[in-house]
Structures are given as structure tokens and as C-alpha cells.
Amino acid sequence: MRALTPTGRPGRLAEISDVDAPRPAAHEALVRVRNFSLSRPDFLCLSAPGTRYRPGIDAVGHVERPAADGSGPTAGVRVVLHLPSGGAAAQLVAVPTTRLAPVPAGVDSASAAALPLAGLAARRLLAEAGPLTGRRLLVTGADGGVGGLLAQLAVAGGAEVTAVAAEREPWRHLAALGTTVVHDGDSLPTGGFDVVLESVGGTLGSTAARTLRTGGRILWFGQAGGEPLTPDFFFGLFDGGPSLTLRHFTHPTDAEETDAREVADLLDLAAEGRLRVEISHRGHWGETAAVLEDMAHGRLSGKAVLTVG
């Protein structure tokens, strides 16, 4: 069979190769993959020297052979698979049934393939943020995969949400849900936010942090802009700035018992029209190396979903 494998070559980090077909264990189903999404962890893992990482954390396909132990979905069922260790970008994948969730009829395969990693990160960030009802939240990078879902889930949870999104990227669906959308740090209201969910870094991240109320909280989960928070933010704290809590959020990769259940909940929200995944690129898996380069250089804002040929 064929699968994406690492090359170790910068600029072309992955290529389609012939590999041995998987041999499922008793608790694993054999899934024929149709679509998979690419994410920043794919790029980072493929960029590591000497890596053996095979890309593909989230994918959608049909069960070709159910698990021998009788667990999980039956043959022919369309499923989403979430594999934190990668390897889903292949024609066939052996997947523990605890890593599978059926895809509702109302959700297209590309959207389902783009949802798990970003959706799980968004849910867990909001769990860290605490109660949402009536609180003021600021989300930076709302035109990205995680940020857009964060804003939607926070509004659904009863929060008053302001989101920062680039004007050229899709954002009107967020405004339609009741989110206040701004396009740069200069447009941010001053003070009063209970929680800032920050993923851009640089000047914008530092400006966003200064909008917190005294005692507010920053959940920092990335720096998509390529730069850390600027020094003036930290100097401002020592110069009489408001007291706050800053936490660096890291997405857990060992939550197998809850992943499938949470992914199923996210898929239900998508089927009901209450959650929308922004896909900025759709294509063939032969484009993987080029898409990873676009991702690395900030030329993709939403998710990239590729079809296995």
C-alpha cells in the first residue's frame, strides 16, 4: 500500500511511498482513509532531525475490517480517526477502536477530518478558562483552526467574545454568531477582559494581554506570528501593570479515554450547524510537501485537507 513518509529534506518534508500494509491487533479496526488534515505538529515533527514520523493526525475513512474483539464500528461505517502520534496519511490504517468516532450524515468528510485536533484543543482551552456564562473573552488568531472554533464554542457557552481575525480571511460567520470581530490590536477595547486566549504572539499578543482586567487570566497556546510576546508586556507588569495569571497551555496527547467521546460531541455540533470548520486548502495528497511549506510560512490560515488517491 501507499503512505506519506518523511524525507528528511527541508522544503520537501514528506513524499508518497510504498510501505507494508498494517496488521491490526484484536482491538484495532482497519480503516481505508479518504481524507486527512495537516496541522502544525505534522510540520514540526517532520522537521526534526532523523525523524521517522509519518504525518496525519486526523483523518476520515470507512471501516474496511472491524476489530476482531467485536469492539467499535462495523464494516462500511464512515469514521473519523484521531491519532496524536501520526500515521493517518495512508491508504489503510490500523486504529484502536477507542480512537474512532462515527461521522454523522450531516457532516462532510473534509470538515470531519479537519475537526478533531483543533476542536479538542479549543474545548480543553475553554475548560481551563473556567465558567463562561457572562464573562468577557478575547480570542486572538480567530481566523486559524483552533481560534475560530474557540470563538464559536465560547459564544455557545454563554461568553461575550471579542475575536481578532485578519480582514482578508473568513470571519463573517463569527460575527453572525454574536462575536465582536476586530482586525488589529489598535481596535481592541482597553481593559475589562476576564480571559485572553492568545495564539499570535508579537505585538498583537502583547497588546491583547494588556486588555485584561486586574486578576484576569491569559491562556497562551501559540505564536502563529512567529514572534514571542514583546518585552514591553513584561516590563509593563513591573511598572504598575495589572496583576494577572499567565499560563502556557499544552494540548495533552494521552487522553485516549475521552478523545473519541469529545470528538463525537464536536461532530454532533457540526451536524447541527452550530460549529463550522474553516478549510483554507483542499487538494490531493501529492501536494503535501507544498502545503506544509505554506503552513510553515504563514500562507494558510484555516485547515488544509487532502484526499488520498
Side-chain angles (χ1 to χ4, degrees), residues 8-279:
R9 301 196 304 270
R12 185 170 181 79
L13 291 171
E15 63 186 8
I16 301 171
S17 306
D18 291 322
V19 300
D20 292 336
R23 297 181 178 180
H27 67 291
E28 294 178 325
L30 187 66
V31 177
R32 182 165 293 277
V33 175
R34 177 59 178 165
N35 301 97
F36 66 91
S37 63
L38 289 171
S39 60
R40 188 159 183 80
D42 286 311
F43 172 78
L44 296 174
C45 291
L46 286 167
S47 300
T51 185
R52 300 179 66 182
Y53 175 82
R54 283 169 45 176
I57 293 173
D58 298 325
V60 167
H62 288 81
V63 175
E64 184 145 308
R65 189 191 313 156
D69 66 3
S71 63
T74 57
V77 173
R78 187 171 60 131
V79 292
V80 64
L81 45 142
H82 176 62
L83 300 176
S85 58
Q91 291 176 320
L92 291 168
V93 184
V95 186
T97 55
T98 53
R99 291 279 181 197
L100 295 174
V103 180
V107 181
D108 68 277
S109 292
S111 294
L115 185 59
L117 181 62
L120 289 170
R123 278 180 62 115
R124 289 164 186 172
L125 275 160
L126 290 177
E128 290 288 338
L132 298 176
T133 303
R135 301 180 79 199
R136 298 186 66 207
L137 270 63
L138 174 62
V139 179
T140 64
D143 45 0
V146 176
L149 296 176
L150 261 176
Q152 294 175 70
L153 291 170
V155 169
E160 179 185 334
V161 179
T162 297
V164 184
E167 192 166 6
R168 68 182 182 277
E169 304 296 348
W171 52 268
R172 288 177 176 79
H173 65 289
L174 299 177
L177 292 173
T179 299
T180 299
V181 180
V182 299
H183 302 304
D184 56 62
D186 294 336
S187 303
L188 289 173
T190 57
F193 286 106
D194 298 295
V195 182
V196 171
L197 298 136
E198 210 296 290
S199 64
V200 176
T203 301
L204 174 60
S206 299
T207 300
R210 289 195 293 270
T211 66
L212 274 175
R213 66 167 173 80
T214 297
R217 190 174 197 194
I218 305 172
L219 290 173
W220 173 40
F221 63 101
Q223 50 188 51
E227 298 179 357
L229 297 175
T230 54
D232 62 310
F233 161 65
F234 297 102
F235 293 153
L237 296 182
F238 294 112
D239 192 29
S243 63
L244 54 84
T245 300
L246 171 64
R247 177 174 177 192
H248 179 215
F249 174 85
T250 303
H251 180 66
T253 58
D254 57 354
E256 184 171 340
E257 293 182 2
T258 60
D259 278 354
R261 184 172 66 253
E262 290 190 62
V263 169
D265 290 343
L266 292 164
L267 289 168
D268 286 342
L269 289 173
E272 295 164 5
R274 297 165 58 194
L275 194 62
R276 170 174 160 178
V277 186
E278 286 301 326
I279 300 174

